[in-house]
Amino acid sequence: MKKNIKKISPASFDDIKIIGINSSLADFKLAWSINNKLSINFVRYNDIFENGAQYAFYYYDTGETGNTFNLVSLVYKGTYWQQTSPRIDFMLIIRNYIAPTKLNEMLKSIREIPGIGYAFIMDPLSDNSIGLLLETIELHEIDLLNEMQKRNNIKAVKEEMRKKKLNQPLQ
């Protein structure tokens, strides 16, 4: 009797690009510098808690058909979330298709930021631990987006209730 066995395959990294960044800058200074250089708008959200440490998490979404960006710190008080070679302190994750020329322009601009030791495009398939990092970051982002959606729904309900109350005749 033949059994149907499902193969477990790693998530596809086709639409994910990662720029590894080595920098002595604090996370908020790096996020601010990247915002200025790339004309994006990173916003810091809840940190990622992993093994008793908290790693800064920044998010920016260009819209439904554009890119989503994450800037994630990999170091907290001298503790590295993941040891990499070469050593990186931050990952800039870009989701959805980005033209190679635009990616290279972004990389060049990031390298021009004072306080950047080096920056390079990482191969997410080069190390299984990178896949685990990406999975944790993506789950954190999903939780964040779900929480934001709940808040927006609550705000919408409250606004609708306020409008109904205003439209009711005085008694």
Side-chain angles (χ1 to χ4, degrees):
M1 186 173 190
K2 197 174 186 181
K3 291 184 180 181
N4 289 334
I5 299 174
K6 288 185 178 181
K7 281 189 173 183
I8 298 175
S9 59
S12 171
F13 295 116
D14 292 343
D15 66 343
I16 294 177
K17 300 296 181 202
I18 304 170
I19 297 177
I21 301 170
N22 174 277
S23 176
S24 59
L25 295 173
D27 59 88
F28 64 91
K29 287 183 180 178
L30 179 61
W32 183 83
S33 296
I34 290 174
N35 281 347
N36 286 333
K37 279 286 191 180
L38 304 181
S39 298
I40 63 175
N41 189 22
F42 273 127
V43 175
R44 185 170 182 169
Y45 288 95
N46 296 341
D47 293 345
I48 298 174
F49 290 90
E50 194 71 29
N51 299 322
Q54 60 188 62
Y55 302 98
F57 177 81
Y58 293 81
Y59 175 80
Y60 175 65
D61 187 354
T62 60
E64 199 170 309
T65 59
N67 296 103
T68 300
F69 298 87
N70 298 127
L71 178 66
V72 181
S73 171
L74 297 182
V75 63
Y76 174 74
K77 294 185 179 179
T79 302
Y80 279 84
W81 182 358
Q82 182 68 43
Q83 294 293 333
T84 58
S85 182
R87 186 189 71 141
I88 58 171
D89 302 307
F90 298 92
M91 286 185 359
L92 174 61
I93 302 162
I94 306 162
R95 282 196 206 85
N96 299 331
Y97 176 78
I98 184 166
T101 53
K102 180 152 172 83
L103 181 63
N104 286 328
E105 288 171 12
M106 290 175 68
L107 181 61
K108 182 180 177 193
S109 294
I110 290 169
R111 286 177 176 161
E112 294 171 353
I113 296 172
I116 299 286
Y118 51 85
F120 62 97
I121 298 172
M122 298 177 67
D123 178 7
L125 299 175
S126 66
D127 185 349
N128 286 342
S129 60
I130 300 294
L132 295 174
L133 274 175
L134 291 174
E135 183 178 312
T136 301
I137 292 165
E138 188 170 355
L139 290 173
H140 181 75
E141 183 179 315
I142 290 169
D143 288 344
L144 172 77
L145 294 174
N146 285 338
E147 183 180 316
M148 289 168 60
Q149 182 65 38
K150 284 179 191 175
R151 284 186 195 159
N152 287 339
N153 287 342
I154 289 170
K155 285 179 185 177
V157 168
K158 286 182 178 180
E159 180 63 22
E160 188 63 32
M161 289 172 63
R162 187 187 71 75
K163 285 180 182 177
K164 284 182 182 178
K165 188 174 182 180
L166 290 175
N167 290 334
Q168 289 180 353
L170 295 176
Q171 296 179 8

